[in-house]
Amino acid sequence: MKDKFISLIKTSKKISVITGAGISAESGVPTFRGENGLWRSYRPEDLATPEAFTRDPKLVWEWYNWRRELISNCTPNSAHLFISYLESLIPEFLLITQNVDGLHKRGGSRNIIEIHGSIWDIKCSKCLYLSENRDLPIIYPPLCPQCQNILRPGVVWFGESLDYRKLEESVNFIATSDLLIVIGTSGIVQPVASLPFQGKQINKKLKIIEINPTSTPITNISDLFIKEPSAKFLSDLKIFS
Ligand code: NAD
Ligand code: ZN
């Protein structure tokens, strides 16, 4: 397994990586659909929506304050570190993460698209104001310095569209890569879930490696499926040593 993984990497000049919540699980950040996914018995799908924020912004901010506090106590794991190490080895490299926790950047990744935004950003619910904010906690209600309307987390919620430029850049990079590595995503949150399929459709030579303890729709089109927790598999894995 490790041999095939290493050989696919060694024969690639251009690599894309897609990550989801699972890569941060071993850092202690709960996934949405795994154990500890619930907060005060609410499902994330019922809190991470524009409708939930309109209905009860205080409740949504309490949940985000809880998540920000939790994430601030977590550190990047071997899988985050492996990805930034890989970036330093490969001439053309792009990381597309669905995660909002900022652990990839803390782990040293630079060429990165945070396609669902960042939990460390806040933005206005009415105007275009957006700013980094690391306060713990955010005092309710946070108000926009430009228009005085309520500020919201700088993330993309269920039902909201992604920045199409980021999506287009991701598709183009993946479709011209030799290898795509998909780590820790359930492969059901669109449109990111479609990226591996689009990549393979455009470029038949694209190889796909998936790392996830559970199979997903992406497993069907993977050339190598590593059915393991990502930090465990990637710990101490040196490609060129
Ligand atoms: P998900 O919660 O739907 O699925 C998590 C996936 O990770 C599952 O397939 C699971 O089998 C896998 N997984 C669990 N433990 C793993 C491990 N140790 N190693 C590798 N894989 C493991 O997450 P999603 O597909 O990313 O979609 C949910 C949405 O919510 C995304 O936008 C996601 O980024 C966001 N979210 C982000 C965070 C974060 O920033 N850390 C946390 C929760 C949810
Ligand atoms: Zn505003």
Side-chain angles (χ1 to χ4, degrees):
M1 190 83 89
K2 280 201 171 157
D3 289 350
K4 185 162 183 203
F5 180 77
I6 290 173
S7 120
L8 279 168
I9 287 177
K10 279 193 172 173
T11 49
S12 302
K13 290 193 174 62
K14 181 164 180 174
I15 297 183
S16 317
V17 177
I18 296 176
T19 63
I23 195 170
S24 295
E26 287 154 280
S27 289
V29 185
T31 63
F32 276 0
R33 290 172 187 81
E35 287 168 42
N36 312 321
L38 297 183
W39 171 77
R40 291 191 201 163
S41 81
Y42 292 98
R43 290 173 13 182
E45 292 91 330
D46 298 330
L47 292 169
T49 67
E51 293 77 23
F53 192 70
T54 306
R55 195 168 51 236
D56 194 345
K58 191 159 186 277
L59 177 75
V60 173
W61 265 117
E62 281 173 28
W63 181 51
Y64 274 93
N65 270 334
W66 173 78
R67 292 182 66 206
R68 284 162 64 104
E69 175 79 38
L70 187 154
I71 290 167
S72 73
N73 289 314
C74 296
T75 47
N77 65 46
S78 326
H80 299 105
L81 299 179
F82 176 82
I83 292 172
S84 64
Y85 163 68
L86 196 59
E87 179 175 354
S88 72
L89 300 175
I90 303 296
E92 288 186 272
F93 185 92
L94 179 65
L95 166 61
I96 301 137
T97 188
Q98 299 169 87
N99 294 347
V100 297
D101 56 32
L103 290 179
H104 282 298
K105 282 188 176 163
R106 279 173 60 196
S109 287
R110 290 292 161 260
N111 205 10
I112 171 172
I113 294 182
E114 292 181 316
I115 204 147
H116 289 166
S118 166
I119 203 164
W120 303 111
D121 283 344
I122 49 172
K123 63 184 182 185
C124 182
S125 52
K126 289 280 178 323
C127 76
L128 294 176
Y129 177 81
L130 183 140
S131 164
E132 188 180 292
N133 180 310
R134 295 194 168 258
D135 295 353
L136 289 174
I138 298 254
I139 306 295
Y140 188 84
L143 296 179
C144 175
Q146 283 175 11
C147 74
Q148 301 308 313
N149 277 295
I150 190 159
L151 293 166
R152 53 163 279 181
V155 301
V156 178
W157 280 329
F158 291 111
E160 293 185 314
S161 27
L162 304 191
D163 180 338
Y164 76 94
R165 284 159 304 186
K166 289 184 180 177
L167 205 54
E168 199 170 76
E169 190 186 340
S170 305
V171 174
N172 290 340
F173 200 96
I174 291 169
T176 50
S177 292
D178 304 304
L179 176 65
L180 167 66
I181 308 175
V182 184
I183 308 176
T185 177
S186 55
I188 52 177
V189 178
Q190 294 294 355
V192 177
S194 301
L195 289 176
F197 293 89
Q198 285 175 271
K200 200 102 169 174
Q201 204 165 32
I202 301 169
N203 173 8
K204 302 275 182 290
K205 287 189 185 153
L206 175 71
K207 298 280 186 223
I208 299 183
I209 300 175
E210 184 184 33
I211 310 178
N212 195 316
T214 312
S215 58
T216 74
I218 298 160
T219 314
N220 297 323
I221 57 160
S222 295
D223 298 276
L224 176 62
F225 174 47
I226 297 163
K227 201 173 188 310
E228 282 190 50
S230 48
K232 178 170 170 270
F233 178 75
L234 294 169
S235 61
D236 301 325
L237 193 73
K238 293 273 180 281
I239 302 296
F240 296 102
S241 56

